[in-house]
Amino acid sequence: MAQVVAESDCGIPAYEYQDINSTVFHVGTLAKLWKERLPADVYSFEEPAEDSSAQHDAVFGAEMALNCETVEEISTLCRLDTLKCYPEGESPDVETIPMDALDSLSSLRIRKTKQDYREQTISKDYLGRHENYVHELESHALGKKSTNPEDNIEEGELVLTVNILYPAIFQVRKRVKPHQTVMILGSQKLTQLRDAICCQSDYQITGEFSNTPDLAPEHISKDHFKSAFFYFDGVFYSDMRFPECRDLSKTIIDWTKSNERGYEKFQTARMENTTFCNLKIKVGYPYLYCHQGDCEHVVIFTDIRLAHRDDCRDKTMYPLLMRKHWVLSRKCFVCKMYIARWVTNQDSFAPADPCFFCDTCFRMLHYDKQGNKLGEFLAFPYVDLGTFN
Amino acid sequence: MDVNLEHALKNDCKTLLSRFQQTESVRYEEFSTVWRDMKFSTIFYGKLQPTEMRCFTKEVLSIATYYFFPPYSFQIRVGGLYLLYGLYHSQLCDPKEKIRIALKDWEEVVKFQHDIVNAQHYDTAYVLKKMFSAKAFYFTAMPRLLYYRTKQKVNKHAVCEDFRERTWKINSLVTEDSLEEILNVHEHYQKMKCAISRDKTQPDRILRLLTEDFPQELQNTISSFNRWLDEQKKKSTEKRPREKQQEDDGECEDMSRETEASARARMLANIKSRSFSNVAEASKSRRHRQAELGSSESGSDHGVQRKSSTKRKSLACRTKLAQKKSGVKQEVGMETAGQRFSMPVISEESDEERAVNRPPKKKRLS
């Protein structure tokens, strides 16, 4: 145990539990330690020059105190062509699995069997739109740069990958994959992550609006209840940007204090004053994001690393959405085309209870041209998860 | 990722590295021959969708990264580096998937880089440098993406015992330094006995409490143990190609056995001469230079000599590590931080099993 403490003190993260989560460490220190250890050119964003290989050889020769011939010999010995597994001058077809490699590579045999099975059973071979979507989302920002040089991220900046799970109050989605995966910079504030999290309950509109459907958009929960907090390793970071924000963590802290409940002392801090570099966290450990009073999302930092040349370099694009769970959206029962915006109960016009409508169909069916209510029904605004797709 | 595929991938990497291990060399040339022979680049071939490809590439790289770090032997680590180099450059993703290096492992990379430069393995140094300049690495907090999974079974990397650098208890007990020390002490002891005896050339009979040729005996025992160790190693490495290639390669194997035998003889001679001569041994840097002479073209014997020298160098620290770690308790179910290093180095059963085959000479010692 003493060893673990010593390691976390010096800021080098180690495993607390193998392949599950790390020990607590300070994020800013991690960046500092890496930058101390690495020569600057190793993590710089510098684009490779035209004659980069010749230049590289020269530098290598100088470092090792070798003469030109030796360096040349080494570089011909180690050139990338030595890895090619096909005759000179030919370019291989990467889509077909070469038969002669099947004997030596067992993983290829598995792929071959899979592919053969696929070819036999599937009549049409196309990229699934879901796959396509994932790929697009992952790669749309890769290597992008801003035209304004000030908006580009600096070398040695930290990039954090955060998984946000579905709120624990929805029992249905408890076991599915993370709701969204976001990449965020070490220098960014926690509030920026909070704003990037999209959750249904933020857009919820409470109340019955069958008499005044036009008033509904004014009652979005997000604008009414702005309080939220993150909980990272013993500290509550509350969002206090607006005067009407309340410190939601206060109740919890009071509760832990009210009796001897065996909790350590919790601290509080302000979300808007904290950057990710100021945090002390464990990688891979579940933390909490709570908003709208009781909508609690588990938040996990899956990765922290130095920014790479191929990353998106436009600061303004962060927090960058990397992956999102794709959900089927509920369509309007009338047109079967648009996503449902309204749900009605005890509706004299509807075939089912509850019944879903898009905005247009809802108004056409339930109101006359002057906007007067027809028939008896209760109408509630409905926020579909699919709207975030 | 598919468990079967992951398993197969591990096997492929192991096969490649064990074939590289058999060459008993750390030359890139040897590695690329094995690579081409196995057609390893084709591992990325086949109809793969972009996301699938990314996922697969990440997995291969992360599997290969394990071989670049201890507890594997120096040769396997060099092989691991070449494997990463090969995989990184032959992957079909664009932009390329990167290799993850964790902060806690960085020390090892620096040490490794230092070792290869000291031992003048220029091709290895070149490959490593080239990977840095190609920006092939992510510098991360942890070696893998971590995601708190309690229910799911986490596949952990089982250390391949064949590739591990062996620490034998005998070797830790009697190191070459201590052997020399014993020799010196013994000599001194003999001289002292002579000095207090009546006959100044020979100690009195009363003072003969110890077998006179004790150091020599010990020396012989150690060298015969080393020989036996070599044979064991050979047996284990020779079994594999026979299973795989069966008929052909008969000639090839004979040849390799021949060179191996000569290498073994040379190693033994080396040990003997070193501990029996009182001449100060050549400095470490000097030995490397000797081995390096005219060796940009590699022969397997160069590899052997160099390999043995690196082995010798790291033995003491390795033993220390093993001793330290053997005290670490292992938790049930979940593993602690040191697990990767803290596996028992030699399993007791296999040790006992081998003890049966061990030359009987050892008994005289005790």
Side-chain angles (χ1 to χ4, degrees):
Chain A
M1 197 58 208
Q3 202 186 348
V4 173
V5 172
E7 271 170 12
S8 64
D9 274 355
C10 69
I12 298 180
Y15 277 123
E16 186 172 52
Y17 292 109
Q18 183 81 28
D19 288 338
I20 292 182
N21 71 280
S22 74
T23 48
V24 186
F25 63 94
H26 187 255
V27 180
T29 318
L30 178 86
K32 205 184 93 216
L33 289 176
W34 260 129
K35 279 191 263 185
E36 275 171 14
R37 270 146 229 245
L38 293 175
D41 60 316
V42 168
Y43 62 86
S44 76
F45 298 151
E46 203 182 321
E47 297 295 335
E50 285 287 306
D51 56 341
S52 62
S53 99
Q55 205 182 349
H56 171 257
D57 289 355
V59 172
F60 177 75
E63 267 175 29
M64 301 285 151
L66 296 176
N67 55 3
C68 295
E69 288 106 62
T70 329
V71 173
E72 209 166 288
E73 195 181 337
I74 293 170
S75 78
T76 40
L77 269 178
C78 301
R79 69 191 190 282
L80 292 177
D81 290 353
T82 53
L83 299 167
K84 284 181 184 161
C85 299
Y86 44 88
E88 203 69 37
E90 273 179 44
S91 61
D93 177 15
V94 292
E95 294 244 310
T96 50
I97 296 173
M99 298 309 281
D100 50 352
L102 286 182
D103 300 331
S104 54
L105 295 170
S106 51
S107 51
L108 265 191
R109 284 199 290 276
I110 290 183
R111 188 177 302 153
K112 177 82 181 154
T113 344
K114 234 188 214 168
Q115 207 166 299
D116 286 348
Y117 175 76
R118 216 181 130 80
E119 270 163 21
Q120 280 163 16
T121 49
I122 287 181
S123 52
K124 239 198 266 174
D125 194 15
Y126 59 89
L127 200 65
R129 67 188 169 132
H130 189 181
E131 291 264 346
N132 215 346
Y133 167 75
V134 171
H135 177 63
E136 247 172 48
L137 206 55
E138 259 179 13
S139 53
H140 79 281
L142 282 175
K144 263 198 188 153
K145 270 184 282 182
S146 169
T147 43
N148 181 4
E150 276 185 17
D151 279 344
N152 282 335
I153 58 176
E154 290 161 30
E155 292 175 2
E157 175 75 273
L158 279 182
V159 178
L160 295 91
T161 311
V162 193
N163 275 359
I164 296 122
L165 273 62
Y166 277 105
I169 48 171
F170 296 160
Q171 288 297 313
V172 203
R173 300 189 194 279
K174 227 167 77 178
R175 301 203 188 283
V176 295
K177 42 188 152 178
H179 181 202
Q180 54 185 136
T181 304
V182 173
M183 264 167 53
I184 197 157
L185 299 173
S187 60
Q188 286 185 311
K189 299 228 166 84
L190 293 183
T191 40
Q192 279 171 293
L193 176 66
R194 180 229 192 294
D195 294 341
I197 297 175
C198 51
C199 173
Q200 227 174 343
S201 54
D202 267 341
Y203 294 90
Q204 214 68 258
I205 300 162
T206 41
E208 199 273 319
F209 288 95
S210 61
N211 294 318
T212 51
D214 295 328
L215 283 181
E218 289 171 22
H219 295 274
I220 294 177
S221 301
K222 200 165 99 170
D223 301 331
H224 283 279
F225 315 106
K226 291 177 179 171
S227 323
F229 70 81
F230 282 110
Y231 169 76
F232 296 131
D233 210 65
V235 188
F236 288 97
Y237 298 92
S238 304
D239 186 354
M240 303 296 265
R241 281 177 293 181
F242 306 100
E244 61 264 43
C245 287
R246 280 167 45 203
D247 188 356
L248 291 179
S249 62
K250 199 165 169 293
T251 355
I252 302 169
I253 295 173
D254 287 345
W255 177 79
T256 55
K257 276 183 193 160
S258 66
N259 259 318
E260 285 288 316
R261 292 186 201 270
Y263 289 101
E264 55 194 299
K265 215 177 164 204
F266 291 112
Q267 290 169 317
T268 48
R270 288 188 155 214
M271 202 192 277
E272 64 271 25
N273 296 341
T274 318
T275 62
F276 283 91
C277 277
N278 300 337
L279 289 182
K280 266 190 162 180
I281 49 168
K282 297 175 182 178
V283 175
Y285 198 78
Y287 291 118
L288 196 71
Y289 165 63
C290 175
H291 64 138
Q292 298 301 329
D294 68 343
C295 186
E296 297 173 340
H297 299 253
V298 167
V299 172
I300 300 177
F301 291 90
T302 51
D303 185 25
I304 300 180
R305 60 176 170 81
L306 288 191
H308 190 272
R309 192 176 63 194
D310 293 342
D311 283 329
C312 168
R313 274 194 259 162
D314 188 350
K315 231 184 221 174
T316 53
M317 288 186 73
Y318 288 91
L320 189 63
L321 188 65
M322 290 305 285
R323 193 166 299 174
K324 200 166 166 317
H325 184 215
W326 177 287
V327 249
L328 280 180
S329 47
R330 206 183 284 275
K331 300 291 188 311
C332 165
F333 274 22
V334 179
C335 62
K336 304 269 184 209
M337 214 156 83
Y338 297 109
I339 294 173
R341 292 272 307 277
W342 292 90
V343 57
T344 59
N345 288 127
Q346 299 157 27
D347 194 342
S348 48
F349 302 122
D353 190 7
C355 192
F356 295 90
F357 300 95
C358 71
D359 204 40
T360 329
C361 297
F362 172 72
R363 279 163 202 271
M364 276 165 69
L365 187 62
H366 293 92
Y367 300 92
D368 63 14
K369 275 179 187 162
Q370 283 75 45
N372 299 318
K373 185 178 166 186
L374 309 169
E376 278 305 308
F377 62 94
L378 297 171
F380 303 92
Y382 175 77
V383 184
D384 194 272
L385 250 190
T387 41
F388 301 119
N389 280 347
Chain B
M1 183 145 185
D2 191 358
V3 182
N4 275 339
L5 188 59
E6 201 181 314
H7 191 68
L9 270 177
K10 269 182 201 162
N11 273 344
D12 288 342
C13 292
K14 265 189 211 166
T15 320
L16 178 78
L17 286 175
S18 67
R19 282 182 66 179
F20 178 61
Q21 193 182 31
Q22 275 169 275
T23 63
E24 303 220 338
S25 154
V26 291
R27 294 280 76 86
Y28 177 75
E29 228 180 338
E30 302 282 340
F31 177 84
S32 61
T33 318
V34 180
W35 173 282
R36 281 193 304 267
D37 190 49
M38 282 182 76
K39 298 202 179 299
F40 217 83
S41 302
T42 56
I43 208 159
F44 296 108
Y45 288 13
K47 258 182 219 159
L48 280 178
Q49 292 169 359
T51 26
E52 212 179 339
M53 180 55 106
R54 260 178 200 284
C55 195
F56 176 78
T57 314
K58 270 181 203 159
E59 190 61 40
V60 188
L61 288 175
S62 108
I63 286 172
T65 315
Y66 280 114
Y67 298 104
F68 182 42
F69 291 107
Y72 293 114
S73 71
F74 179 73
Q75 198 206 0
I76 292 300
R77 290 183 64 190
V78 173
L81 174 69
Y82 293 155
L83 179 62
L84 284 174
Y85 178 70
L87 288 172
Y88 180 76
H89 285 288
S90 46
Q91 64 172 299
L92 303 169
C93 297
D94 183 44
K96 288 186 159 62
E97 278 301 324
K98 311 296 183 302
I99 300 154
R100 299 170 61 85
I101 292 188
L103 185 59
K104 67 188 169 73
D105 295 332
W106 179 248
E107 289 291 291
E108 295 293 341
V109 179
V110 174
K111 233 185 269 169
F112 179 77
Q113 198 171 14
H114 197 72
D115 279 352
I116 50 177
V117 172
N118 271 355
Q120 308 196 341
H121 298 312
Y122 290 127
D123 48 354
T124 319
Y126 182 85
V127 165
L128 187 59
K129 176 112 178 93
K130 197 147 186 200
M131 300 217 3
F132 278 127
S133 67
K135 307 257 183 325
F137 298 105
Y138 274 151
F139 301 103
T140 65
M142 298 308 286
R144 313 195 110 208
L145 283 187
L146 295 180
Y147 185 75
Y148 200 87
R149 284 172 293 194
T150 43
K151 291 267 160 54
Q152 241 166 318
K153 201 180 146 209
V154 184
N155 278 320
K156 57 189 172 201
H157 179 81
V159 177
C160 174
E161 291 299 325
D162 283 349
F163 296 165
R164 194 197 271 278
E165 198 148 11
R166 295 256 171 194
T167 343
W168 292 90
K169 278 167 190 156
I170 302 262
N171 285 350
S172 62
L173 203 64
V174 191
T175 62
E176 268 151 47
D177 290 341
S178 73
L179 210 58
E180 255 174 44
E181 190 68 31
I182 289 171
L183 213 71
N184 289 338
V185 169
H186 186 73
E187 204 177 304
H188 197 67
Y189 180 57
Q190 258 349 48
K191 267 185 202 158
M192 287 292 284
K193 280 201 287 191
C194 289
I196 58 168
S197 305
R198 258 169 290 160
D199 181 6
K200 296 290 175 195
T201 53
Q202 200 183 334
D204 280 351
R205 286 202 84 176
I206 310 168
L207 292 175
R208 276 194 196 164
L209 301 169
L210 192 74
T211 338
E212 226 134 275
D213 54 353
F214 162 69
Q216 202 165 350
E217 194 90 14
L218 186 63
Q219 173 65 52
N220 289 341
T221 317
I222 293 294
S223 57
S224 69
F225 170 73
N226 278 340
R227 201 180 316 141
W228 168 83
L229 205 64
D230 263 10
E231 271 161 21
Q232 288 294 312
K233 225 191 222 167
K234 223 124 287 166
K235 261 184 216 163
S236 64
T237 47
E238 269 169 23
K239 252 179 220 161
R240 239 170 288 119
R242 261 188 222 144
E243 283 162 9
K244 293 244 159 66
Q245 310 172 345
Q246 284 178 355
E247 315 101 51
D248 43 1
D249 284 22
E251 285 172 62
C252 202
E253 230 170 79
D254 277 348
M255 285 231 322
S256 72
R257 210 175 295 159
E258 226 171 71
T259 51
E260 276 161 3
S262 67
R264 199 189 317 140
R266 205 178 319 115
M267 212 167 83
L268 286 174
N270 194 14
I271 294 171
K272 255 182 199 166
S273 68
R274 266 166 33 77
S275 36
F276 277 106
S277 64
N278 282 339
V279 186
E281 54 175 35
S283 69
K284 272 185 182 151
S285 58
R286 184 88 181 273
R287 246 181 283 143
H288 289 306
R289 207 167 300 154
Q290 279 169 354
E292 192 60 33
L293 269 180
S295 73
S296 84
E297 239 63 50
S298 69
S300 58
D301 8 356
H302 292 301
V304 171
Q305 249 192 3
R306 239 172 280 134
K307 197 183 144 208
S308 65
S309 70
T310 46
K311 210 175 186 177
R312 207 179 298 136
K313 196 169 152 197
S314 55
L315 197 60
C317 58
R318 233 155 245 295
T319 319
K320 239 179 261 162
L321 192 77
Q323 280 164 350
K324 202 167 79 187
K325 293 292 175 184
S326 62
V328 178
K329 270 181 233 158
Q330 285 175 20
E331 278 178 47
V332 187
M334 288 177 158
E335 296 146 79
T336 45
Q339 246 274 325
R340 198 166 138 196
F341 304 101
S342 72
M343 304 265 293
V345 180
I346 322 165
S347 60
E348 286 301 319
E349 307 90 350
S350 69
D351 208 22
E352 275 161 28
E353 235 174 58
R354 272 168 195 158
V356 182
N357 302 335
R358 203 169 281 170
K361 271 190 179 175
K362 205 201 156 194
K363 275 181 191 159
R364 265 192 243 164
L365 255 181
S366 50

